[in-house]
Amino acid sequence: MTHKQILYVIFGLMAAMFLSALNQTVVGTSMKTIADDLDGLSLQAWVTTAFLIVSTVATPIYGKLSDIFGRRPLFIIAIVIFLIGSLLSGMANSMYELAAYRAVQGLGAGGLMALPLAVMGDILAPRERAKYQGYFLAVFGISSVLGPLIGGLLAGVDQIFGVTGWRWVFLINIPIGIIALAIVMAFLHLPHTPRSARIDWWGALTVVLAVVPLILIAEQGREWGWSSPGAWACYIVGAIGIVSFVWVERLMGDDALIPLKLFRSSTFSMATVLGVLVGFGMFGAMMTIPLYLQLVNGVSPTESGLLMLPMILGLMISSIASGQIIARTGRYRMFPIIGTFLLAAGFLYLTFSSYDKPVWFLMGGMLLAGLGLGQLMQTLTIASQNAVGPRDMGVATSAATFFRQIGGTLGTAVIFSVLFSRIPDTLKAAFENSAHQRELAAALQDPQVVADPDNARIVELLTSKDQGKLADALNGDTSFLNAADDRLSAPFLDGFGQATVTVFWVSFAVVAIAFALSFFLKATPLREKSALQEAHAADAADADAQLDTQLQAQRAADAMGALHEPGTATGSIPTASRR
């Protein structure tokens, strides 16, 4: 492919990846408005869970099928399914419908997450790939900033062209998706040699059996209770699913959904482990910091998205810079080490946060975390792709994405579990603080403060005899803190801040393990050819070998000559009859 053709393909891939990344961030800030309009606030978690489950399960399936049938048809199918899901989501009339339609979206999103990087592996050599993948991460970063902003703006508008504002959160995907689809159909023409292979239906079934219960308990465990009957059912079914999946994949061999032979490569195995740990840290940071900004610093969801800019800026700078260095030198081993170090340093820095520190203090930790993440995401993907043969490019890429998503899901579950289990203790400690007690006493003695409606909820909590209400005050709607007197809200903010610091310590510990393991990542030399070039060369070598075999057989036949004299007939030999 010429450089111009490659650029056109990359524009289409970036548009598709922008769709997927934007969809994950744009919905969050508008979900409360959507739930209020559809009268289903208690069901909002299922909207997110449905999307997450289906997209995670679909990711390795897309990767394997694209290795068999080619990237282009699977990519087109993924975009079309995503657009259908977006249109249906924009037309939903209940939270149950929205959850079902978001599952359809997730079915398409699984392909949009995995296939762009697999296509990159097909058309670009690993050294060149690093240079372009930095721009993909830049798209991911931009969508992370724009998503909350767009979601907040659309949810805040009553109607646009006669359609309720929040519905455009989903409908906005359609024009972007059509552009991406047109570019892909026009310019993505990759040569593909059809190959016969068994489709791993049992692997697909068992991966669903393994992943769905684990994601379900990760998303709903805090509400159900981690030792509830429903939780235990998920643990048992998930464990059975994992064992069944490994057994099926061993039986399927090279045709497996995620071939176990990939893990014979120490590079692929270590990159996968690091991907899980990095996914844990990445999602931990991106989920916790906006919540901290909104509750402790009192900013709106839209503003919290903009305040994440230092992390996104760090991610973009480091990803583009590391990509250029890899493209020039062909060396990448140092980036997982430096990246995990900076990510761990960012979390360690954030452990010194407190409710009375300004926003710019948090921005320092965000910048460090972003600089670390930018060196990790693309490098680990390149390491995974470089460790496998060209025929396994799709399944290796989708497996790397799949395990990173699993790490992120588990990270989100663990982090929020730790956060909300710590809040009652940290709130108690904050209210026992002598400085807070003096400020509270002074505020409660002021008649104007007590009479102010903005302080009514806190005054009610402080004067209630039921101390359980105070411990659970931050589990639901926390908007009562926004306009309250600073002296009354300070203990709540302090308690939440202390609980969040515990989360930062957990994230630091996980990423510190990743830093230690990064030294064991064997950086195999980056190949000089793309997967398509290698596959073409392998096919040519097979054809040459077959031709050589035929020529050798012909020469051997010529050397031996005929087994009977030319021109003599063969037939039965007459024998003398007995009389």
Side-chain angles (χ1 to χ4, degrees):
M1 298 178 70
T2 65
H3 179 67
K4 186 176 181 181
Q5 289 174 319
I6 289 173
L7 286 179
Y8 278 125
V9 171
I10 286 174
F11 289 149
L13 299 180
M14 289 171 69
M17 185 166 277
F18 180 75
L19 265 180
S20 176
L22 183 70
N23 183 69
Q24 295 183 59
T25 56
V26 73
V27 176
T29 51
S30 56
M31 183 51 66
K32 188 175 185 303
T33 304
I34 295 172
D36 289 342
D37 190 47
L38 296 180
D39 193 24
L41 189 62
S42 61
L43 300 173
Q44 61 176 314
W46 289 104
V47 175
T48 305
T49 304
F51 177 87
L52 187 63
I53 286 175
V54 178
S55 62
T56 302
V57 169
T59 298
I61 296 175
Y62 273 107
K64 185 61 180 181
L65 291 180
S66 71
D67 281 340
I68 299 174
F69 301 109
R71 311 275 186 251
R72 187 174 187 268
L74 268 296
F75 201 23
I76 291 172
I77 289 171
I79 295 175
V80 170
I81 291 175
F82 186 85
L83 292 180
I84 292 172
S86 298
L87 179 62
L88 292 173
S89 297
M91 299 167 61
N93 293 312
S94 72
M95 291 295 281
Y96 291 106
E97 284 186 15
L98 183 59
Y101 298 151
R102 285 278 286 164
V104 176
Q105 256 193 325
L107 186 60
L112 300 185
M113 293 174 188
L115 294 180
L117 295 179
V119 173
M120 291 283 287
D122 287 335
I123 65 178
L124 294 170
R127 287 180 64 161
E128 288 297 306
R129 202 179 305 155
K131 182 168 59 178
Y132 288 99
Q133 282 186 1
Y135 296 105
F136 277 79
L137 286 182
V139 168
F140 176 81
I142 291 170
S143 68
S144 299
V145 173
L146 290 180
L149 181 62
I150 294 173
L153 291 175
L154 293 176
V157 178
D158 288 336
Q159 285 192 341
I160 301 175
F161 300 121
V163 178
T164 307
W166 67 260
R167 296 184 183 275
W168 286 97
V169 167
F170 305 104
L171 298 178
I172 196 174
N173 293 326
I174 294 175
I176 302 172
I178 290 174
I179 293 172
L181 185 62
I183 294 175
V184 167
M185 294 187 71
F187 298 105
L188 185 61
H189 298 286
L190 302 178
H192 176 70
T193 303
R195 57 191 179 97
S196 59
R198 295 177 296 169
I199 297 179
D200 188 8
W201 298 113
W202 284 106
L205 178 63
T206 52
V207 79
V208 170
L209 192 66
V211 172
V212 169
L214 297 182
I215 294 181
L216 197 59
I217 187 58
E219 290 290 302
Q220 303 293 331
R222 188 165 55 86
E223 182 178 339
W224 293 355
W226 298 107
S227 58
S228 64
W232 276 107
C234 287
Y235 300 146
I236 294 170
V237 174
I240 294 172
I242 292 171
V243 173
S244 302
F245 178 70
V246 173
W247 181 65
V248 168
E249 299 307 89
R250 287 192 65 181
L251 293 178
M252 290 297 294
D254 290 347
D255 296 327
L257 195 64
I258 301 180
L260 298 184
K261 69 176 184 179
L262 298 179
F263 295 95
R264 295 174 191 164
S265 165
S266 60
T267 300
F268 182 86
S269 299
M270 186 55 68
T272 299
V273 173
L274 290 175
V276 172
L277 297 176
V278 168
F280 187 109
M282 178 180 69
F283 280 85
M286 300 192 78
M287 296 293 288
T288 309
I289 294 176
L291 187 61
Y292 186 96
L293 289 169
Q294 292 175 44
L295 203 150
V296 177
N297 296 103
V299 303
S300 68
T302 303
E303 291 170 338
S304 70
L306 292 175
L307 289 174
M308 293 288 287
L309 194 59
M311 178 180 287
I312 307 308
L313 188 63
L315 188 149
M316 292 170 62
I317 291 172
S318 62
S319 63
I320 294 173
S322 61
Q324 294 292 333
I325 293 171
I326 293 172
R328 286 179 169 84
T329 66
R331 298 179 179 178
Y332 65 92
R333 184 175 183 272
M334 61 179 174
F335 293 113
I337 297 173
I338 297 173
T340 50
F341 174 79
L342 289 174
L343 184 57
F347 281 121
L348 183 61
Y349 175 94
L350 290 170
T351 60
F352 293 95
S353 302
S354 61
Y355 81 100
D356 53 354
K357 281 189 171 67
V359 171
W360 63 259
F361 180 85
L362 282 176
M363 289 182 172
M366 293 185 217
L367 181 62
L368 279 173
L371 289 171
L373 285 171
Q375 297 179 63
L376 290 167
M377 294 171 66
Q378 66 167 337
T379 309
L380 294 176
T381 300
I382 290 172
S384 298
Q385 292 175 333
N386 193 59
V388 303
R391 298 184 190 279
D392 291 320
M393 182 65 66
V395 72
T397 307
S398 63
T401 306
F402 171 74
F403 285 111
R404 188 164 57 238
Q405 286 178 269
I406 293 294
T409 303
L410 294 177
T412 303
V414 170
I415 281 190
F416 279 108
S417 177
V418 170
L419 178 64
F420 286 97
S421 64
R422 282 282 294 148
I423 282 177
D425 295 331
T426 54
L427 276 180
K428 181 181 178 182
F431 276 98
E432 290 175 352
N433 182 284
S434 57
H436 289 318
Q437 287 181 344
R438 287 194 299 270
E439 294 292 328
L440 283 172
L444 292 175
Q445 289 175 2
D446 186 342
Q448 291 184 342
V449 171
V450 175
D452 189 343
D454 289 333
N455 300 324
R457 174 61 177 158
I458 297 181
V459 172
E460 177 189 347
L461 290 170
L462 294 176
T463 55
S464 174
K465 294 181 179 180
D466 185 0
Q467 293 300 310
K469 289 184 178 181
L470 190 62
D472 296 335
L474 301 181
N475 285 355
D477 184 6
T478 59
S479 60
F480 66 90
L481 297 172
N482 295 342
D485 186 279
D486 290 343
R487 294 170 294 180
L488 296 178
S489 62
F492 293 95
L493 304 184
D494 190 8
F496 186 84
Q498 290 181 45
T500 309
V501 165
T502 304
V503 165
F504 292 145
W505 276 114
V506 173
S507 300
F508 166 74
V510 171
V511 179
I513 294 172
F515 172 65
L517 292 176
S518 65
F519 287 93
F520 297 94
L521 178 67
K522 292 181 180 179
T524 53
L526 291 178
R527 299 195 293 266
E528 299 290 338
K529 295 181 179 180
S530 69
L532 284 177
Q533 290 172 323
E534 289 185 344
H536 178 72
D539 291 340
D542 290 342
D544 289 343
Q546 187 176 4
L547 181 60
D548 286 344
T549 302
Q550 292 174 348
L551 289 174
Q552 289 174 8
Q554 182 64 46
R555 283 195 294 267
D558 293 342
M560 292 182 66
L563 297 179
H564 57 269
E565 286 294 327
T568 59
T570 60
S572 60
I573 299 174
T575 57
S577 59
R578 295 181 179 180
R579 297 193 180 185

